Amino acid sequence: MIHALMIVFGGTGDLAHRKLYPAVCNLYFSGLLPQEFALVSVGRRDKTTEEFRKEVVDSITKDSNINPVKNKDLDDITSRFYYYKNDFYSNQGYEDLGKFLQQLDEKYETRGNRVFYLAVAPEHFGPVVERINSAGLTPNSGNSWQRVVIEKPFGKDLDSAAKLNQDISRVFDEENIYRIDHYLGKEMMQNIMVIRFANTLFEPLWNNKHIDHIQITSSETVGVENRGGYYEGSGALRDMMQNHMLQLLMLTAMEPPVNLDNQSIRDEKVKVLRALSPMTPEEVKRNVVRGQYGPGIDGDRKLKGYRQEERVSPQSNTETYVAMKLMVNNIRWAGVPFYLRTGKRMPCKTTEIAIQFSEPPEVLYFKEFQRLESNLLVIKIQPREGAFLQFNAKKPGARSEIIPVAMDFCQNCDIGAESVDAYVRLLYDVLRGDSTLFTRWDEVEHSWRFIDKIAKTWEDTAPDFPNYSAGNWGPEEARELIERDERMWRDVCDYY
Ligand code: BG6
């Protein structure tokens, strides 16, 4: 069992209430947290520990899917939650916090083990870590450990990410830095490797001899909501492509690791990024499409355009949609295009990977039926979780007809089979010291190297925004991007 203190900077914020506290409670209810655990929320607001505990209970009972919530258990775990008011920039404040942590260490026998969770705006990451260190909050006394968890965005380009990494690495070794990409905590993300490497069926076909192309989609129906301030400086390229979408790509395209330890898996993932050649400006123009939603309609609901959203400039050139074609330049994938797309205000919320196998040979049935559908494997990440395999079979009846049929595995279709939130798994891994589902520095580095080229090219050219209406599948150019290759985007909405 894990004895530890968890210190959450930015502990009064939305992320902490919606994700972290429910996840901690979930672990406790599942018997995965010991009695020797306490949590300190550090924030700038005035608040007592009692008020803080009450807020946690309210947010947990209001909108989490923790099941079942027994009041006694909830009281048990929240009785170990504390609030500590501290200005992120006050050196004295950190000294005092250190004394408070020591008291809790003794009270809960947490042995000096600490998780510092930075749920603060990125500009505070470096300064907070520096003060954690100078106030001696990382005792590192032989048997104890201290880890830091960093929320995204990890920088906004390679230079800022490298600077941030330098600041953090002065205090924490790479093995104690946990960079969150919450997609990695999703059940089906972890299943991609299992589907690929625990079956004899797929892996032999997982290459350019049998696969025509791969489509990776992550679409959302929501707009920027109340995050305009952040999103204006980010856009879909940095907000989704640089991290979640490239993670999906890595897991799909990586070679089998030599074993399942965290370094071996991440070694293979990063090789995929290294095999992406950074695009020239001409390649960016040809292979990457950006879009921004304008006003639209969803049923009888009017949807605002991005430029009309709160804290967004009315002339904003920030993209809310990106589609791209890229090639993974290695022996396995030579000649196989990967089409990636992500956007806000799309017709449905879905994340999936579609593996389109090559066309069946043009003999035998082909003569009679002109065209047979290719085999298709779709790994569904969310909201439906599962895998769908399409193949050809004879349609029953006197006539000879061939139709595509499917085997469909859905792991969350049964009521009550809802997967736990990604943060539950991620927090558990932080506490037990397994960083496999976190982003290693070289992954961050290579992903920015690739993304920066695109961002730079876009800086130099003005987009024609808005170019799709809210509730639609992105701009016309995205359709052209794939149709130019005589392929089509899949209809990805889950109709169930
Ligand atoms: C976040 C992005 O990382 O992922 C958001 O900042 C996006 O803009 C979200 O909405 C999507 O996550 P999920 O789990 O809802 O697909």
Side-chain angles (χ1 to χ4, degrees):
M1 285 288 219
I2 317 136
H3 297 213
L5 272 185
M6 184 165 156
I7 302 104
V8 185
F9 288 87
T12 52
D14 187 53
L15 175 89
H17 277 280
R18 274 191 314 111
K19 299 290 183 184
L20 302 187
Y21 305 145
V24 169
C25 294
N26 199 320
L27 288 174
Y28 184 74
F29 301 148
S30 324
L32 297 173
L33 267 194
Q35 298 294 322
E36 294 80 6
F37 175 87
L39 181 148
V40 181
S41 157
V42 181
R44 286 175 287 196
R45 296 184 206 161
D46 269 326
K47 200 184 292 286
T48 63
T49 283
E50 283 62 40
E51 285 165 343
F52 169 62
R53 287 179 186 163
K54 182 165 179 317
E55 283 170 11
V56 173
V57 170
D58 285 351
S59 53
I60 284 172
T61 34
K62 192 172 82 207
D63 64 6
S64 83
N65 64 353
I66 299 175
N67 211 355
V69 177
K70 292 191 217 130
N71 287 339
K72 184 185 160 310
D73 287 349
L74 195 52
D75 289 347
D76 269 0
I77 180 66
T78 50
S79 71
R80 276 155 238 229
F81 282 23
Y82 294 83
Y83 183 72
Y84 195 89
K85 182 180 173 216
N86 188 29
D87 184 301
F88 297 150
Y89 290 81
S90 143
N91 294 343
Q92 182 59 45
Y94 285 79
E95 305 268 335
D96 297 342
L97 174 62
K99 291 181 198 135
F100 182 57
L101 296 183
Q102 237 163 24
Q103 287 167 15
L104 294 181
D105 259 344
E106 281 157 31
K107 176 164 180 189
Y108 291 97
E109 296 176 26
T110 45
R111 304 177 183 170
N113 297 335
R114 291 174 186 176
V115 174
F116 295 97
Y117 199 112
L118 305 194
V120 293
E123 62 269 24
H124 302 309
F125 290 162
V128 170
V129 168
E130 188 195 313
R131 286 169 178 79
I132 286 175
N133 184 42
S134 50
L137 307 192
T138 53
N140 215 344
S141 58
N143 294 331
S144 71
W145 49 258
Q146 290 84 40
R147 303 180 182 134
V148 66
V149 185
I150 316 268
E151 274 293 334
K152 68 173 269 257
F154 201 89
K156 61 177 181 35
D157 52 21
L158 180 55
D159 288 348
S160 55
K163 161 85 175 63
L164 173 58
N165 199 50
Q166 221 173 34
D167 291 348
I168 298 170
S169 306
R170 267 198 278 273
V171 180
F172 294 94
D173 298 335
E174 175 65 31
E175 61 171 331
N176 290 316
I177 303 176
Y178 288 70
R179 299 177 194 84
I180 291 243
D181 183 314
H182 79 280
Y183 266 49
L184 292 176
K186 292 184 191 278
E187 269 297 332
M188 282 307 294
M189 290 291 277
Q190 295 156 52
N191 226 337
I192 300 173
M193 273 180 61
V194 178
I195 290 175
R196 287 190 54 193
F197 304 133
N199 293 297
T200 42
L201 193 58
F202 301 121
E203 190 50 25
L205 307 179
W206 213 264
N207 55 51
N208 59 359
K209 294 185 190 59
H210 303 284
I211 292 177
D212 176 75
H213 75 278
I214 293 181
Q215 293 186 21
I216 303 181
T217 303
S218 192
S219 61
E220 298 184 85
T221 51
V222 291
V224 280
E225 303 185 288
N226 55 1
R227 297 165 71 226
Y230 149 76
Y231 201 83
E232 276 285 86
S234 160
L237 185 69
R238 294 181 172 93
D239 184 51
M240 291 291 290
M241 270 293 170
Q242 180 267 335
N243 39 77
H244 311 323
M245 297 298 284
L246 290 183
Q247 287 292 344
L248 285 155
L249 172 77
M250 286 185 260
L251 290 167
T252 308
M254 68 192 269
E255 296 298 315
V258 285
N259 60 44
L260 293 177
D261 72 38
N262 64 4
Q263 299 302 352
S264 306
I265 291 178
R266 297 187 297 180
D267 284 349
E268 295 308 330
K269 281 171 59 191
V270 83
K271 283 185 200 162
V272 175
L273 296 180
R274 290 173 52 204
L276 304 179
S277 18
M279 293 191 206
T280 61
E282 287 64 40
E283 286 168 331
V284 172
K285 281 177 202 138
R286 188 167 163 75
N287 294 326
V288 190
V289 171
R290 57 181 153 164
Q292 184 195 76
Y293 61 85
I297 289 183
D298 173 24
D300 48 13
R301 204 159 60 105
K302 280 200 181 139
L303 303 173
K304 280 187 202 163
Y306 177 70
R307 289 178 177 180
Q308 287 77 53
E309 303 273 15
E310 240 174 78
R311 282 181 281 160
V312 168
S313 151
Q315 286 86 39
S316 174
N317 281 339
T318 300
E319 76 289 347
T320 58
Y321 175 95
V322 183
M324 69 171 78
K325 170 184 171 182
L326 57 81
M327 307 298 284
V328 177
N329 297 309
N330 61 21
I331 296 268
R332 184 188 284 265
W333 295 116
V336 178
F338 287 72
Y339 300 95
L340 276 56
R341 63 179 162 160
T342 182
K344 294 202 182 282
R345 283 281 186 238
M346 307 263 102
C348 63
K349 165 128 182 126
T350 293
T351 304
E352 65 155 54
I353 301 160
I355 318 291
Q356 183 74 59
F357 289 93
S358 310
E359 287 192 1
E362 296 185 8
V363 288
L364 216 52
Y365 295 112
F366 187 81
K367 293 197 186 102
E368 206 173 329
F369 298 107
Q370 298 297 319
R371 192 169 177 277
L372 297 178
E373 293 287 330
S374 305
N375 296 144
L376 172 73
L377 173 70
V378 185
I379 303 180
K380 300 283 235 176
I381 310 289
Q382 63 179 16
R384 185 180 172 134
E385 299 173 5
F388 166 97
L389 180 65
Q390 178 183 286
F391 54 101
N392 292 313
K394 180 183 172 301
K395 186 174 178 185
R399 287 177 53 215
S400 296
E401 233 183 294
I402 296 183
I403 50 165
V405 295
M407 291 185 192
D408 198 358
F409 155 61
C410 176
Q411 75 176 14
N412 64 337
C413 288
D414 293 341
I415 293 168
E418 211 51 44
S419 295
V420 293
D421 190 83
Y423 276 86
V424 176
R425 170 66 194 256
L426 294 177
L427 273 190
Y428 185 53
D429 285 359
V430 173
L431 288 166
R432 61 196 187 103
D434 183 347
S435 55
T436 313
L437 300 180
F438 295 80
T439 318
R440 203 169 64 184
W441 164 244
D442 50 354
E443 291 176 67
V444 178
E445 181 187 358
H446 286 283
S447 57
W448 277 126
R449 223 180 268 290
F450 179 71
I451 293 295
D452 276 1
K453 293 282 178 205
I454 301 171
K456 180 79 195 70
T457 305
W458 284 354
E459 258 173 31
D460 299 339
T461 51
D464 183 17
F465 284 168
N467 57 359
Y468 71 98
S469 45
N472 281 296
W473 276 117
E476 187 55 23
E477 291 88 328
R479 199 168 59 77
E480 287 161 13
L481 171 81
I482 192 164
E483 290 189 2
R484 202 170 65 207
D485 296 346
E486 297 180 10
R487 299 183 175 108
M488 276 167 60
W489 290 112
R490 264 176 48 73
D491 175 3
V492 294
C493 295
D494 293 317
Y495 305 104
Y496 74 106

